[in-house]
Amino acid sequence: MFVTDIRKDFYEKVLHKRVLVLVSFDVDAICACKILKALFHCDSVQYTLVPVAGKMDWERVFSEHAEQLEFVVMINCGATLDILETLQPEENVTFFVCDSHRPMDLVNVYNDTQVKLLMSPEESIPKYEDIFRDDESDDEDDIGNDSDGSEPNGKRRRFDEDVLERRMERRRKRREWDGHRHQLLFDYEEFSGYGQSAAMIMYDLAWKMSKDTNDLLWWAIVGLTDQLLSKKIDRETYVLEATELNRHVARHNHRGDEEEDSVSINSMRISFTSELQLALYRHWSLFESLRHSSYTACNLKLWTLKGFKKLHEFLADMGVPLSECKQKFSAMDMGLKDNVTDWLVTSARKFGLEQITLSSFHAQYGFKNKFCAFDVAYGVNALLESVETEKSQEGYFLEALDCLSRSNIDKLAHGLELSKRQFRATVNTVQSLLDMTQVISAGSFLYAFIQEGTPDTRYFARPNCLGMLARFTLEAYVKMSKNRKARTLPLVMTAPLNLETGTLLVVGIPPLPELEQSSKNFFGRAFEQAGKKTSSRILHDNFDSSVIEMKNEDRSKFFDALISLLT
Amino acid sequence: MSIESNFDGSVGHRIKSFKNKGRDTEEMRRRRNEVTVELRKNKRDETLLKRRNVPNLEGESDEEPVNQISYHELVQKAASNLPAVQLPAVQSARKLLSSDRNPPIDDLIASGILPVLVECLDSPSSALQFEAAWALTNIASGTSKQTMAVVDAHAVPKFVNLLNSDQPNVCEQAVWALGNIIGDGPKCRDICINEGVVRPLLSFIRPNIPLSFLRNVTWVIVNLCRNKDPPPHEETIRELLPALSALIHHTDTNILVDTVWALSYLTDGGNEQIQMVILSGVVPFLVPLLSHKEVKVQTAALRAVGNIVTGTDEQTQVVLSCKALSHFPTLLTHPKEKINKEAVWFLSNITAGNQQQVQAVIDEGLLPEIIRHLDGSDFQTQKEAAWAISNLTISGTKQQVMALYDNHVIPPLCNLLVVKDSQVVQVCLDGILNILKASGEKYQEIATLIEMCGGLDKIEHLQNSENDDVYKLAYDIIAHYFSDIDDEDPALAPQVVQQGFEFDANTNIPSDGFKF
Amino acid sequence: MFGEKVLELVQELQRSRDGTMLPFNEDGVRKVLEEMKALYDQNQADVVSTREEGQSGLFSGVQLRHTCLERNQRCLLAYLHNRLAIIRNMRWEFGSVLPADVKQNLSDQEFQWFTKYNKSLASYMRSLGTGGLDLTQDRKPPKSLYIEVRCLVDHGEFETEDGTIIVLKKNSQHFLQRSQCEHLIRQGVLEHILS
């Protein structure tokens, strides 16, 4: 069931108890987790925090910690899975789920006792009466001799005519209800998608308890930004939510009429501005940033020679010398640095890059540290999905968790460096995919297989990164392709996951968002069915159903099935 | 091969000593396992999703208001001499019993309605006969106790009498009532047979009989064939078979299903009954039903022919000669797991037959499918597949056994060695051992494969099994085929016999000892 | 050149600033003391001869030697003093039993000093509060009642005082009472996270 008062029904319930917190591997979850942690620290709520990469981890960790536990909080995991059925908990365990994955499992929605959802109810959820029926009067004798292939009854009672009629009628109604239910379920579960950011829900809780601070607000901003960057939500939703957050920003950060020095330079200040969609430009050079941001790279077609020349033209139009552009941004000439953003926006319009700006937030603390939310989201994600072998994946999760604290700026800086490497690998891979025409159309969708061999491929053994590559590739392909239909096609991409076990990571993304519709992803079900039909060895471990793992050998038959399924 | 079965037919019994190379083929055939399989329900197919932990807030569903009539009053009226009083009373009683839920059977019996109703069966009024028969039918549809109460009230002879009525609705109702009584168990069944129910029952099977009546008659025949402890008298079966042979041509699905179930019950009663069924000539019409468009018919037919092939080789051949195997490619790939399982069970009894029968299975191209089920399916189906394979390794020629190897049977066979069911493990070990034996000189290739797919580790582990048979088999396999002496020729290895090794008795031992 | 040997001692000390305890340079100290004695004797001789013979030109020599003597003294004292300071720190770091290799490097007197220091510290600590207080355990005062810790190794189940069982698996994080888990932090099982 949905909680109505998040403070009373959730926070106050766990206030003096111990909690198990399960967090999934994405930036929004990490931000939500930081906010919740801060609240728990305030109130000395004891907890155990464990990162979970997928369903198997989720089940395993629960069973390991289940003894004596009464409260479990799940962040960005659990809403889409039947919690009670899968985990088989004791009767006294309560689950609080704060998950942006959709669609929510209906058993979770309608359970009255153990599962509490912290999200808001949605209209698309079918009504209770249409899906569930209280068990009774089903086991009446059948009218026929037998039912569904089982043996004939030994004894049969003879009923009155009108009774017979009533029974027939009931049966008919029951069949109708079943059919309707089947349709409802099918429609409801057909597409997977995302709802409100978990970090924002946690921030909302903090605000309701008057415990919100700038730090918490910043984390909520990063969480929301991550949703935008991984295209889990569309621009419109982002703008709405960002406006909401801006109210809080204004509240915490109003300058007033006094001089700016009244607030210490070391405290965090957040401001709401119009930000360029150039990834990491402040921590990189302008040139590199233009080359590696998907918006500019795709619109200028930078993998072609012509596009490259256009880029130079663009820079020339801006009036910034090439040498400056290739300089580290922070080392750029002061006069240029202040104005470059304005010049960029003006020139952008001439080159078809109208949407180069987007409203976003920056945070500043101290003299050195000025970060924009986009960059922080990229950095945290890069840390989270780091492919270095020094630590385990959980180890990197904890690094990512740490880097959001102000005292760990060096970790964030490292994250930004990793992010640059990710971007370079992405752009190189997109370039080679397009050069060697490895993006193939199967009629109803596009697909591309990343082959092992280059050192870049190891970055894509991570779901968020592979997803980013997929989106970049799709955008680039669509811009390149003369085929008008390409705009409407979704994309499936595979990359080698583990050479020892011979598995692949497979990601399916919906087509580029059109103006009105938000992107709906049907690959969760499609993958499931294709896998079943071909008895392929696939693993639906990720909480996002459009990400699966598969054995190398099964790839071709799986894709054949997928093609026939979707045409 | 003698008809007499030395197989005791009870569940799960298996060969006592399979160390003997020659297994009695009759012993190898297995009756259907009585244990019902609980299939895991696919959550998506369940039409009822249980909402967990919800206190049941809704009250009891509304029941029909119980009329507080006195049952005794009703019984009294039903015993009245006045038709105007009697008929409505009996009708009320009938209505009470034919209402939707919870008929007050015990209450009515307690108020003494049974003798009254039975009396009505002799009435000159056919309307009264009809109502009384209907009421008694419904009483007899309840528990065994309730049915016995009807029998004890001497209803049976009167019902048999009513089969001669000139009112068809009365006949039909009597048929229905007798069906309920017969269906109670072998005792009641035999009581009815002794009262002479069979002849008049069968006489109803005429060309212009209404469909619902014929369905009832067929259903009663099913009940007559049903129980096998003891099975119906041979005489009765002989009477029923011609009817069944005729009914199997009927086009109505319900009648067809019931007919085939009746045949499946008959064929479940031992080789003599199987022979009777065969002699009735019904088998050529039974086999094509394996591919009937209705799943219910397929299920019943599969059961029936499956029972037949648990008989002798000749009896099995009768089924095979009707091209039964040609239906199996579809049956083995049927979406319903239960059908897969019964199909594999059927084939396991074919591979237990003679070499020609084994060859027929191979020729129909069924080995890959059986092995596919061995590899992964419901566990019960895998079990049947293990039997099928193992039986083949015993009855088949060397070539036929090697065909199993060629179809990649070794890895899935080895994979089953870790299950908890020791019977399955035994069967698999036996199969592996026999395949190795059949390969003769070329056993090394197979041994290597067993090792590579992890089977060797499992077999080694099984040497520690608590089960004697398992451990001995495992030991044998290791000793003969995986010992360090590579050039040990299995043909020279001592024969393995239950008590130990039997050394070649032909060596010449000087009669007065060795002299050095 | 006078004072060179003692300089070597001081340099030796400087080199061992990284925490290792070098053996007590008995030889070096002795040489320095010899030098000092030699200087002192010479100075005495010169003073006597000045007084008796009235030679004034020896004063600068005497002054020079005296300066050297003072320098030697100062350096020697520094050497001894710093070594003691290191030994004292070791008491706070390692506890009352020194590791064998460190013990080897101490002179007898230094070791005696260490034992006496130990005794003094122990009796002082005993005198605090009721039953004494081990000051060497926690040198920094805790900032909060509850702390966040990260588990570095798979430690298995851990029971706190009030009976709750916490499963300590690698890479899990926990928020609990400081007093419950301090010993695990010291053992290296848990790491204290300051956010």
Side-chain angles (χ1 to χ4, degrees):
Chain A
M1 63 184 265
F2 292 102
V3 305
T4 36
D5 180 339
I6 192 173
R7 178 180 187 171
K8 239 178 39 170
D9 298 331
F10 162 52
Y11 199 76
E12 288 181 7
K13 293 272 188 308
V14 301
L15 204 44
H16 299 292
K17 311 272 183 10
R18 267 200 71 224
V19 185
L20 174 67
V21 184
L22 301 176
V23 186
S24 92
F25 273 61
D26 65 88
V27 180
D28 181 30
I30 290 179
C31 293
C33 175
K34 293 259 335 154
I35 298 176
L36 188 60
K37 267 200 329 163
L39 293 174
F40 281 166
H41 283 203
C42 241
D43 290 310
S44 299
V45 176
Q46 297 188 51
Y47 61 83
T48 294
L49 169 67
V50 188
V52 289
K55 294 182 208 163
M56 296 196 308
D57 270 357
W58 182 73
E59 281 182 59
R60 178 181 54 83
V61 170
F62 176 77
S63 63
E64 281 170 2
H65 288 89
E67 216 180 306
Q68 287 195 358
L69 208 50
E70 279 177 27
F71 295 101
V72 183
V73 177
M74 297 183 177
I75 302 187
N76 274 354
C77 54
T80 53
L81 309 166
D82 184 344
I83 294 175
L84 298 180
E85 182 68 29
T86 323
L87 299 178
Q88 302 276 334
E90 301 289 327
E91 300 259 321
N92 62 341
V93 183
T94 310
F95 296 89
F96 294 102
V97 182
C98 182
D99 189 350
S100 57
H101 290 97
R102 300 286 181 271
M104 300 187 244
D105 188 287
L106 291 172
V107 178
N108 289 345
V109 169
Y110 288 115
N111 177 280
D112 279 348
T113 50
Q114 290 182 265
V115 179
K116 313 270 188 217
L117 302 171
L118 303 181
M119 303 84 81
S120 328
E122 289 170 7
E123 282 175 1
S124 56
I125 298 176
K127 293 201 279 285
Y128 177 78
E129 307 80 54
D130 288 337
I131 307 292
F132 295 90
R133 199 184 55 243
D134 292 315
D135 185 17
E136 251 171 62
S137 69
D138 298 329
D139 44 358
E140 294 166 353
D141 314 318
D142 287 358
I143 299 180
N145 288 339
D146 54 22
S147 53
D148 65 280
S150 56
E151 300 173 34
N153 293 329
K155 297 182 187 168
R156 296 155 48 221
R157 190 149 72 97
R158 180 172 178 165
F159 294 99
D160 267 346
E161 279 310 310
D162 53 339
V163 172
L164 282 178
E165 266 176 33
R166 266 188 282 148
R167 290 187 132 204
M168 294 292 270
E169 181 60 25
R170 254 210 299 265
R171 277 189 141 196
R172 194 187 58 78
K173 278 223 176 97
R174 166 80 178 275
R175 268 197 289 267
E176 233 182 72
W177 185 86
D178 279 345
H180 181 57
R181 176 180 177 275
H182 185 79
Q183 188 61 37
L184 275 180
L185 276 181
F186 184 80
D187 290 338
Y188 179 65
E189 290 171 351
E190 198 182 352
F191 295 111
S192 65
Y194 287 87
Q196 192 184 30
S197 141
M200 288 200 56
I201 295 179
M202 287 300 170
Y203 181 76
D204 194 55
L205 169 64
W207 176 51
K208 292 204 167 95
M209 299 199 300
S210 302
K211 291 202 169 121
D212 56 324
T213 64
N214 244 354
D215 282 294
L216 300 189
L217 180 55
W218 178 243
W219 292 333
I221 290 172
V222 175
L224 175 67
T225 309
D226 174 68
Q227 278 201 320
L228 172 73
L229 293 176
S230 31
K231 299 278 195 315
K232 290 176 182 165
I233 55 173
D234 56 21
R235 266 173 97 113
E236 248 185 68
T237 319
Y238 169 78
V239 170
L240 280 170
E241 298 279 300
T243 321
E244 183 62 32
L245 284 175
N246 191 23
R247 282 183 22 225
H248 294 289
V249 168
R251 201 164 45 86
H252 282 284
N253 294 285
H254 63 263
R255 298 287 190 78
D257 296 324
E258 309 109 54
E259 320 89 64
E260 297 166 29
D261 300 23
S262 59
V263 179
S264 154
I265 193 70
N266 277 323
S267 65
M268 155 135 28
R269 267 192 324 209
I270 306 180
S271 41
F272 181 65
T273 55
S274 174
E275 185 59 53
L276 290 173
Q277 280 200 74
L278 289 180
L280 306 176
Y281 77 89
R282 286 191 192 77
H283 307 276
W284 218 346
S285 74
L286 202 55
F287 187 77
E288 294 289 340
S289 179
L290 282 164
R291 264 199 68 196
H292 292 95
S293 306
S294 84
Y295 183 70
T296 45
C298 295
N299 280 301
L300 295 175
K301 303 207 187 81
L302 290 181
W303 51 86
T304 60
L305 214 50
K306 206 168 122 192
F308 218 69
K309 282 216 305 220
K310 236 183 166 188
L311 175 62
H312 286 86
E313 281 174 30
F314 176 71
L315 291 173
D317 186 86
M318 258 173 46
V320 183
L322 195 59
S323 55
E324 289 287 334
C325 289
K326 291 196 176 168
Q327 270 245 37
K328 248 184 91 137
F329 188 80
S330 45
M332 242 170 123
D333 190 53
M334 276 305 283
L336 291 171
K337 222 194 322 181
D338 293 334
N339 297 311
V340 75
T341 38
D342 294 325
W343 296 340
L344 214 147
V345 172
T346 333
S347 306
R349 295 211 188 92
K350 298 187 209 155
F351 284 78
L353 301 169
E354 290 85 16
Q355 294 200 321
I356 196 152
T357 56
L358 184 58
S359 41
S360 177
F361 302 86
H362 341 103
Q364 171 154 21
Y365 33 103
F367 288 104
K368 227 174 48 156
N369 305 313
K370 185 167 190 200
F371 293 103
C372 113
F374 290 147
D375 296 344
V376 174
Y378 283 129
V380 177
N381 192 43
L383 258 184
L384 177 65
E385 295 202 319
S386 174
V387 290
E388 321 213 321
T389 45
E390 223 179 276
K391 294 186 204 244
S392 65
Q393 287 204 28
E394 284 91 10
Y396 282 118
F397 176 94
L398 295 173
E399 288 280 293
L401 194 63
D402 287 343
C403 84
L404 281 172
S405 299
R406 276 199 260 157
S407 47
N408 291 319
I409 293 293
D410 52 331
K411 292 197 179 168
L412 183 59
H414 181 53
L416 292 171
E417 285 304 310
L418 288 178
S419 181
K420 289 185 203 166
R421 285 186 225 164
Q422 257 186 9
F423 273 112
R424 284 200 202 99
T426 307
V427 166
N428 286 344
T429 314
V430 171
Q431 175 105 35
S432 84
L433 283 176
L434 291 177
D435 284 345
M436 303 201 275
T437 51
Q438 286 182 326
V439 179
I440 306 169
S441 168
S444 51
F445 65 92
L446 302 165
Y447 64 93
F449 301 150
I450 308 295
Q451 306 291 353
E452 57 196 77
T454 57
D456 287 341
T457 39
R458 64 198 174 113
Y459 287 103
F460 307 120
R462 301 278 184 272
N464 297 345
C465 198
L466 183 59
M468 222 165 65
L469 174 66
R471 285 184 290 272
F472 205 130
T473 310
L474 183 59
E475 244 193 274
Y477 179 83
V478 162
K479 284 284 182 314
M480 280 289 281
S481 170
K482 300 187 182 45
N483 182 359
R484 287 204 60 209
K485 197 172 161 230
R487 261 211 86 86
T488 59
L489 295 179
L491 171 71
V492 180
M493 191 170 265
T494 73
L497 176 60
N498 186 325
L499 293 174
E500 275 167 27
T501 55
T503 46
L504 298 171
L505 187 62
V506 186
V507 149
I509 58 170
L512 292 180
E514 293 297 303
L515 291 169
E516 304 88 38
Q517 79 195 77
S518 54
S519 40
K520 282 190 177 286
N521 192 333
F522 53 64
F523 282 110
R525 306 284 272 169
F527 286 162
E528 200 184 306
Q529 284 193 29
K532 225 189 279 183
K533 255 176 60 175
T534 55
S535 318
S536 305
R537 291 156 290 178
I538 58 178
L539 191 62
H540 269 278
D541 195 45
N542 200 297
F543 297 112
D544 183 339
S545 58
S546 61
V547 177
I548 60 172
E549 298 177 22
M550 181 166 73
K551 283 260 183 199
N552 282 338
E553 302 88 40
D554 295 340
R555 179 168 65 185
S556 31
K557 64 176 173 174
F558 178 83
F559 270 83
D560 287 337
L562 198 61
I563 292 174
S564 64
L565 207 67
L566 294 175
T567 24
Chain B
M1 207 59 81
S2 67
I3 293 258
E4 175 198 359
S5 168
N6 43 7
F7 177 64
D8 62 8
S10 48
V11 169
H13 266 252
R14 196 60 181 92
I15 316 305
K16 302 118 208 156
S17 121
F18 48 80
K19 291 285 171 54
N20 300 325
K21 268 202 162 181
R23 232 188 265 174
D24 192 333
T25 40
E26 297 214 350
E27 291 175 318
M28 283 159 57
R29 292 224 163 85
R30 300 167 304 117
R31 304 296 180 208
R32 180 171 53 83
N33 193 326
E34 298 285 8
V35 174
T36 49
V37 175
E38 254 195 35
L39 293 171
R40 269 172 27 127
K41 289 201 195 139
N42 181 348
K43 274 236 87 136
R44 296 283 168 232
D45 291 344
E46 263 188 28
T47 49
L48 176 64
L49 293 174
K50 296 188 182 47
R51 196 161 67 145
R52 293 212 20 182
N53 305 329
V54 176
N56 196 348
L57 300 166
E58 282 137 66
E60 306 266 315
S61 56
D62 38 330
E63 296 238 319
E64 289 145 20
V66 178
N67 290 332
Q68 289 293 37
I69 50 169
S70 151
Y71 293 133
H72 282 284
E73 215 182 287
L74 187 63
V75 170
Q76 267 183 338
K77 288 198 180 147
S80 157
N81 295 334
L82 305 169
V85 173
Q86 192 182 38
L87 185 56
V90 173
Q91 209 176 47
S92 301
R94 181 268 288 173
K95 285 202 172 143
L96 280 173
L97 292 161
S98 63
S99 64
D100 214 342
R101 287 175 241 248
N102 301 328
I105 298 182
D106 284 327
D107 289 333
L108 282 169
I109 295 180
S111 33
I113 200 161
L114 283 175
V116 175
L117 290 176
V118 171
E119 196 55 44
C120 293
L121 294 178
D122 285 336
S123 164
S125 156
S126 62
L128 194 58
Q129 287 177 321
F130 176 64
E131 294 286 345
W134 186 338
L136 285 166
T137 303
N138 283 0
I139 296 178
S141 74
T143 65
S144 200
K145 198 160 160 231
Q146 290 161 345
T147 312
M148 281 314 290
V150 173
V151 173
D152 290 339
H154 309 294
V156 177
K158 300 201 200 279
F159 274 124
V160 174
N161 236 3
L162 284 181
L163 294 176
N164 299 321
S165 165
D166 52 3
Q167 294 296 320
N169 66 344
V170 172
C171 291
E172 191 177 349
Q173 200 53 54
V175 166
W176 196 324
L178 287 165
N180 277 343
I181 296 173
I182 295 171
D184 182 59
K187 206 155 142 251
C188 287
R189 174 197 69 200
D190 290 337
I191 291 176
C192 292
I193 293 178
N194 289 338
E195 288 290 339
V197 70
V198 179
R199 184 83 59 81
L201 178 72
L202 296 181
S203 70
F204 288 125
I205 305 178
R206 285 186 294 261
N208 48 357
I209 176 177
L211 186 60
S212 66
F213 198 154
L214 187 57
R215 281 181 181 163
N216 264 321
V217 171
T218 317
W219 169 67
V220 176
I221 298 180
V222 173
N223 279 354
L224 282 169
C225 298
R226 194 187 281 265
N227 300 96
K228 59 178 193 176
D229 296 310
H233 204 268
E234 199 182 301
E235 196 48 51
T236 311
I237 299 181
R238 266 191 236 283
E239 278 190 75
L240 293 173
L241 276 171
L244 291 171
S245 307
L247 287 169
I248 202 164
H249 298 280
H250 206 287
T251 48
D252 176 57
T253 306
N254 291 321
I255 291 184
L256 200 52
V257 170
D258 278 353
T259 306
V260 181
W261 276 112
L263 288 169
S264 79
Y265 294 140
L266 288 179
T267 52
D268 199 13
N271 289 4
E272 288 131 333
Q273 285 191 217
I274 294 178
Q275 194 59 24
M276 288 203 278
V277 170
I278 290 177
L279 289 176
S280 74
V282 75
V283 176
F285 304 107
L286 182 56
V287 172
L289 295 177
L290 289 170
S291 294
H292 197 274
K293 58 178 165 57
E294 290 285 338
V295 174
K296 305 184 206 177
V297 176
Q298 282 182 299
T299 312
L302 186 50
R303 178 66 62 82
V305 300
N307 284 342
I308 296 180
V309 304
T310 65
T312 64
D313 276 358
E314 288 85 6
Q315 290 172 334
T316 307
Q317 194 57 43
V318 171
V319 171
L320 294 179
S321 306
C322 299
K323 299 212 181 52
L325 290 177
S326 65
H327 299 273
F328 277 77
T330 325
L331 289 173
L332 286 170
T333 50
H334 199 280
K336 284 197 114 172
E337 191 61 47
K338 219 162 160 199
I339 293 205
N340 294 149
K341 175 178 93 101
E342 301 244 328
V344 180
W345 165 67
F346 175 98
L347 292 172
S348 75
N349 282 331
I350 307 291
T351 60
N354 59 39
Q355 291 170 352
Q356 289 83 356
Q357 290 171 346
V358 169
Q359 192 59 40
V361 172
I362 298 180
D363 289 341
E364 196 66 43
L366 297 175
L367 284 189
E369 272 305 311
I370 299 176
I371 294 174
R372 182 177 71 83
H373 280 293
L374 185 70
D375 198 7
S377 254
D378 203 47
F379 176 63
Q380 298 295 330
T381 314
Q382 283 180 300
K383 212 166 155 175
E384 300 296 341
W387 279 108
I389 302 292
S390 182
N391 285 350
L392 200 160
T393 64
I394 297 174
S395 8
T397 64
K398 281 200 163 64
Q399 251 182 336
Q400 290 168 337
V401 175
M402 289 316 286
L404 283 176
Y405 171 65
D406 294 332
N407 274 294
H408 313 292
V409 75
I410 295 288
L413 202 54
C414 291
N415 286 342
L416 280 177
L417 291 173
V418 297
V419 301
K420 296 206 173 52
D421 186 333
S422 60
Q423 197 186 56
V424 172
V425 172
Q426 239 178 289
V427 165
C428 293
L429 281 174
D430 205 28
I432 293 172
L433 182 57
N434 291 336
I435 294 175
L436 284 165
K437 283 193 193 153
S439 61
E441 309 270 293
K442 307 208 188 65
Y443 75 92
Q444 193 56 51
E445 201 183 301
I446 304 183
T448 314
L449 178 56
I450 295 177
E451 192 175 356
M452 285 201 344
C453 72
L456 179 57
D457 292 333
K458 299 180 174 99
I459 300 176
E460 279 176 347
H461 182 73
L462 286 170
Q463 289 181 119
N464 304 327
S465 167
E466 288 171 350
N467 183 310
D468 265 354
D469 300 317
V470 168
Y471 122 75
K472 284 199 194 120
L473 268 178
Y475 180 78
D476 284 343
I477 296 176
I478 302 281
H480 284 109
Y481 299 100
F482 293 98
S483 58
D484 291 330
I485 312 162
D486 272 2
D487 45 17
E488 180 177 313
D489 185 355
L492 286 179
Q495 288 290 342
V496 174
V497 154
Q498 195 168 15
Q499 281 76 27
F501 293 103
E502 186 188 78
F503 289 95
D504 190 345
N506 291 335
T507 43
N508 289 329
I509 303 175
S511 42
D512 40 6
F514 286 99
K515 288 203 182 58
F516 293 101
Chain C
M1 186 60 194
F2 298 128
E4 266 179 4
K5 292 197 187 65
V6 85
L7 185 60
E8 274 173 27
L9 285 179
V10 174
Q11 277 177 337
E12 200 184 282
L13 205 56
Q14 172 78 358
R15 256 178 260 127
S16 71
R17 282 273 288 271
D18 61 354
T20 51
M21 185 72 173
L22 290 173
F24 186 76
N25 199 339
E26 198 112 19
D27 204 42
V29 169
R30 195 173 35 80
K31 287 215 181 85
V32 171
L33 286 173
E34 276 173 14
E35 188 182 288
M36 283 172 80
K37 182 149 189 347
L39 284 169
Y40 182 74
D41 286 342
Q42 274 199 313
N43 262 3
Q44 274 294 77
D46 275 3
V47 162
V48 164
S49 64
T50 313
R51 201 177 292 161
E52 281 169 15
E53 287 154 35
Q55 283 190 11
S56 52
L58 297 169
F59 276 155
S60 30
V62 168
Q63 255 187 326
L64 179 71
R65 278 185 222 107
H66 190 74
T67 317
C68 290
L69 276 172
E70 281 185 326
R71 174 120 179 99
N72 276 343
Q73 179 192 42
R74 188 181 159 141
C75 290
L76 262 185
L77 285 175
Y79 180 73
L80 293 172
H81 174 84
N82 277 295
R83 278 182 69 92
L84 285 181
I86 293 175
I87 296 170
R88 186 188 56 194
N89 280 343
M90 285 194 175
R91 166 66 183 90
W92 285 85
E93 291 283 330
F94 296 130
S96 55
V97 180
L98 288 176
D101 50 349
V102 172
K103 219 155 96 170
Q104 267 180 346
N105 293 341
L106 299 182
S107 71
D108 288 332
Q109 293 99 328
E110 281 177 332
F111 188 67
Q112 271 177 24
W113 180 89
F114 177 74
T115 322
K116 282 201 199 140
Y117 180 74
N118 240 347
K119 269 205 205 132
S120 299
L121 183 61
S123 60
Y124 176 65
M125 292 199 295
R126 254 199 308 271
S127 71
L128 298 170
T130 48
L133 183 67
D134 188 354
L135 291 170
T136 60
Q137 292 290 13
D138 295 302
R139 312 249 299 263
K140 291 198 217 91
K143 288 227 175 93
S144 57
L145 195 53
Y146 288 87
I147 51 169
E148 180 157 24
V149 291
R150 183 172 292 172
C151 191
L152 301 173
V153 290
D154 278 335
H155 185 75
E157 285 186 357
F158 166 65
E159 191 170 339
T160 58
E161 269 171 20
D162 57 352
T164 30
I165 297 183
I166 306 181
V167 178
L168 296 174
K169 278 216 123 194
K170 189 167 177 204
N171 288 326
S172 57
Q173 264 183 216
H174 309 268
F175 186 67
L176 10 111
Q177 280 196 334
R178 171 183 276 273
S179 50
Q180 307 284 349
C181 58
E182 268 178 329
H183 65 283
L184 289 171
I185 298 178
R186 256 179 257 128
Q187 281 175 31
V189 173
L190 296 176
E191 182 191 342
H192 180 28
I193 301 287
L194 311 133
S195 46

